[in-house]
Amino acid sequence: MRDLVAQAETFLHDQARLIDRLRFEALFRGGPRQRVLDTLRCYQNADGGFGNALEPDLRGAASQPEPVEIAFWILDELDAFDDPMVPAACDYLASITTPDGGVPFVLPSVRSTRRAPWWETDDDPPGHLIPTASLAGLLHKHGITHPWLEQATRFCWERIEQVKETTPYEARAMVPFLELVPDRERAEAEFTRLKGAILDTVTFDPAASGDAHFPLDFAPAPSRLPLFEPETIERHLDALEEMLERDGGVVPNWPIWTPVVGPEWAGYLTVHRLKTLRSYGRLP
């Protein structure tokens, strides 16, 4: 087997955004973490939120909730939640929080921007587990204290308790919250109750095409709340290695509505999947 990291590096240099090339350098080549942070800072707006196509399918400059989640995942992989970007982003989240305590999936201001056709919303959208649950989980993981987190956590518990059936994206927001929130007894009880509903949203065939959601989307690293049997994870790790060996990188499996988002997502996903292989011991 060829060196998957070197092969992915070539793919990233050919296709990826600067921020994803720098993420790769920091995570796999000993490059400086600060360069990633400096680049990420360029996506943050004066209101503390993130925009400017950090989420490639949201092309507008203005802040939206979902790009904050992407920023938090990048900060998480760098163990950089001590950066001033974090409290500024929390202030932004507080400013857009709805009376129910969560942040909306997307704000109505998206209508005036170029974006993928699935980014639609009502005039007065309610709070949503996407991305409130992932955001709250990551803040808990890193021990952040901010007034927004208390109300967001309460919102997540209330909404999760109401869930009987779910969707892949909502499930992928709930899982990190339940993995990372401090109240372990409550989290484990809800995970046990929801495990079947979450698994119903998973695509287990690694060769499936289209907008499928695979086990490694839900478990990109070993979890304290394991959803899958080890044999399932190993089969999908094998498939991921085969994809990287064949293609050099990971391409998105959802519709590409304008040409630039294809390579932008490919760069982000390739670094993300390399991290997954390493977290399961498939890369040094």
Side-chain angles (χ1 to χ4, degrees), residues 39-211:
T39 305
L40 181 60
R41 222 177 305 280
C42 295
Y43 291 92
Q44 190 169 36
N45 292 315
D47 61 8
F50 288 81
N52 305 291
L54 181 61
E55 205 286 4
D57 288 323
L58 291 169
R59 308 304 299 174
S63 299
Q64 288 285 345
E66 185 56 34
V68 179
E69 181 186 355
I70 290 183
F72 276 15
W73 284 115
I74 293 172
L75 290 163
D76 173 68
E77 72 188 16
L78 300 172
D79 194 21
F81 265 68
D82 57 348
D83 192 278
M85 284 186 280
V86 173
C90 290
D91 290 345
Y92 165 73
L93 295 171
S95 75
I96 62 168
T97 293
T98 59
D100 57 18
V103 297
F105 170 61
V106 63
L107 302 175
S109 58
V110 76
R111 297 169 182 160
S112 63
T113 68
R114 292 283 295 159
R115 82 275 187 196
W118 48 86
W119 287 106
E120 300 290 349
T121 186
D122 297 330
D123 291 337
D124 188 21
H128 204 293
L129 284 170
I130 310 168
T132 309
S134 299
L135 293 166
L138 286 168
L139 290 168
H140 281 301
K141 176 182 179 179
H142 292 276
I144 302 301
T145 56
H146 189 280
W148 180 78
L149 183 55
E150 182 177 353
Q151 62 181 331
T153 302
R154 183 168 57 251
F155 166 85
C156 291
W157 283 129
E158 291 171 354
R159 287 298 176 89
I160 288 172
E161 287 173 352
Q162 297 170 18
V163 172
K164 294 182 175 60
E165 297 180 347
T166 187
T167 65
Y169 287 111
E170 183 180 68
R172 288 171 60 179
M174 290 191 294
V175 167
F177 177 82
L178 293 174
E179 180 180 0
L180 300 170
V181 70
D183 189 342
R184 300 313 310 150
E185 182 177 357
R186 190 174 185 181
E188 289 165 11
E190 286 298 328
F191 177 79
T192 299
R193 182 181 70 83
L194 289 168
K195 183 175 180 178
I198 294 169
L199 290 174
D200 285 344
T201 73
V202 180
T203 299
F204 285 92
D205 178 4
S209 59
D211 190 10

Side-chain angles (χ1 to χ4, degrees), residues 4 7 240-250 274 277:
L4 295 181
Q7 194 163 325
L240 175 56
E241 286 188 350
E242 291 170 6
M243 178 192 297
L244 286 168
E245 186 173 25
R246 179 183 68 246
D247 301 331
V250 178
L274 288 172
L277 289 174

